[in-house]
């Protein structure tokens, strides 16, 4: 006889961790958008430009998110979700360091 209670716990724990991972990922995305929005006045001063001229940065960020989220789904099916997610974190970290 198979004890179904034992099988449900690891699955439940894994589901909770996956939901937490997705929530943290969306939080990072929203935080990043907030950071670029609040940094526009300082960036405008540094570049000797008007803040309105730098709004293209916010638009470019939102466009990149709109393009790469569906693309990441396709890439995850092709190369594996773990590989693509780890690559995305690495690219994000490197880009943040370069900024």
């Amino acid at each position: 006889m198979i004890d179904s209670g034992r099988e449900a716990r690891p699955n439940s724990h894994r589901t909770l961790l996956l939901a937490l991972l997705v929530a943290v990922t969306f939080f990072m995305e929203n935080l990043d958008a907030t950071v670029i929005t609040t940094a526009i006045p300082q960036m405008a001063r540094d570049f000797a430009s008007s803040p309105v001229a730098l709004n293209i940065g916010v638009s470019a960020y939102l466009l990149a998110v709109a393009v790469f989220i569906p693309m990441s789904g396709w890439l995850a099916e092709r190369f594996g979700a773990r590989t693509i997610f780890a690559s995305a974190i690495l690219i994000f970290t490197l880009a943040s360091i370069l900024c």
Side-chain angles (χ1 to χ4, degrees):
M1 184 170 171
I2 297 175
D3 183 14
S4 62
R6 284 186 176 171
E7 292 176 9
R9 283 189 200 137
N11 241 356
S12 172
H13 184 67
R14 187 174 180 164
T15 302
L16 179 65
L17 287 176
L18 182 61
L20 184 60
L21 178 67
V22 170
V24 169
T25 304
F26 281 127
F27 174 75
M28 285 173 49
E29 178 187 332
N30 285 324
L31 181 65
D32 200 36
T34 302
V35 167
I36 192 171
T37 302
T38 57
I40 284 180
Q42 182 61 43
M43 288 169 39
R45 280 189 289 271
D46 291 345
F47 294 134
S49 181
S50 71
V52 175
L54 294 180
N55 278 338
I56 190 76
V58 175
S59 298
Y61 176 77
L62 293 174
L63 182 62
V65 167
V67 167
F68 285 109
I69 285 180
M71 185 186 291
S72 67
W74 177 79
L75 289 170
E77 286 182 4
R78 184 163 183 183
F79 299 109
R82 185 175 296 209
T83 303
I84 297 303
F85 189 71
S87 299
I89 290 173
L90 179 68
I91 292 168
F92 178 82
T93 303
L94 290 174
S96 295
I97 289 170
L98 290 174
C99 285

